[in-house]
Amino acid sequence: MDGVVQLQKQLVDYTASLFHEGFLDEQFNQLQQLQDESNPDFVVEVVSLFFEDSERLLNELGKTLEQKTVDFKKVDAHVHQLKGSSSSIGAQRVQKLCIAFRNCCEELNTEGCLKCLQQVKHEYSLVKNKLETLFKLEQQTIAAGGSIPTL
Amino acid sequence: METARQVFRRNLQENVEVCDGSPELHVLAVDDSLVDRKVIERLLKISSCKVTSVESGTRALQYLGLDGEKGKGSVGFDGLKVNLIMTDYSMPGMTGYELLKKIKQESSVLKEIPVVIMSSENILTRIDRCLEEGAEEYLVKPVKLSDVKRLKDFIMRGEGKDSGETRIRKRRRRDDHSSLPQSVTLSSSPALACDPSSTLMPSSAPSACSSKRAKLCI
């Protein structure tokens, strides 16, 4: 059973690091608590929705900011949505960047917005990678006969 | 962890059995965000509530029968009485506030249903406006399991009975996290204590349906 124990430790450590580095916050814990035997894939499902939603929004943001006349209301609306969904899954870094992004919108600052968009895209891909790695680790742990340890 | 969750659910079920009439609360959740709808559905289901979730105020009104067919009262299309409405504030088209107003103003039957506003933004004027319009609570997103539990307890106890009690409304959930945007308001008055002097409170006559919850604890 050594393999399982090792996997579980790896999982615990990895998860802890995501919190420690600020990728995830308490809300992610909340989601994990909503998962149980009757809904064993809840977290993966919600996070998948978040991925789809975010990619759509980031796309839209790119298009909106490319227009000759930027519709800042539209930009703000999209960022607001992204801020909301990242908050709902606990993607803390993305959420924080959205706040800065909204400030640029308020200032009608196209350059600033473009910079923010780049940053958000970057953070988003980071957290996406991290979460996908996390889910893989969980799958491996379960496949090896272990259970996902709750922190 | 498991044990705690099981105990929690068992307690909820006990409460449910004590209640007369329908054994489970039926909640109508309104939110344009797919992610948030999924989360609120799960929060409610894990709290033993039936959930119907819709993506807009318009759809919510349709479901409640306010937008067309008359005489449906608080019964949804599937025949289930709605016991609570939880709506997001910021939605394209009809905001949660506008939905709240329609429910409270246009139907003598529907206005009895408690409406809770959910919002990611902790804006005092917005909170006041919602409470003034008759919202039961204003929850700052992301909504927690403890928020849902508290709501459910409140509804199970019966809205009319507690008009004499004072209630503490927790609106800020993340007091220990700095990630909640503070830039919008409240910068001048951090950590507002309970404010019983709010002008929202009508005369103290305890009436079943119009007791306004004006206690604001942030």
Side-chain angles (χ1 to χ4, degrees), chain A residues 52-95:
Chain A
E52 283 170 28
D53 209 37
S54 303
E55 274 150 42
R56 175 186 62 88
L57 288 167
L58 289 170
N59 236 322
E60 284 298 313
L61 279 166
K63 285 197 209 142
T64 314
L65 284 168
E66 269 169 30
Q67 301 304 307
K68 282 227 174 77
T69 318
V70 174
D71 182 351
F72 284 101
K73 264 201 181 148
K74 204 171 172 194
V75 177
D76 187 70
H78 288 323
V79 178
H80 175 77
Q81 277 191 298
L82 184 57
K83 175 170 142 298
S85 54
S86 56
S87 157
S88 294
I89 67 142
Q92 193 183 62
R93 286 202 200 176
V94 174
Q95 189 203 349

Side-chain angles (χ1 to χ4, degrees), chain B residues 22 39 48 78 93 114 118 125 142 146 162 175 181-182 185 189:
Chain B
S22 46
V39 175
S48 305
D78 51 12
M118 304 177 283
T125 49
S146 53
D162 65 1
D175 8 61
Q182 296 304 306
T185 59
S189 50

Side-chain angles (χ1 to χ4, degrees), chain B residues 28 45 57 77 83 89 91 101 105 174 180 185 187 190 204:
Chain B
L28 177 63
K45 282 185 184 155
F77 281 156
N83 306 112
Y89 184 95
M91 296 187 290
K101 279 208 289 191
Q105 291 172 7
R174 313 222 292 192
L180 192 67
T185 59
S187 48
S204 51

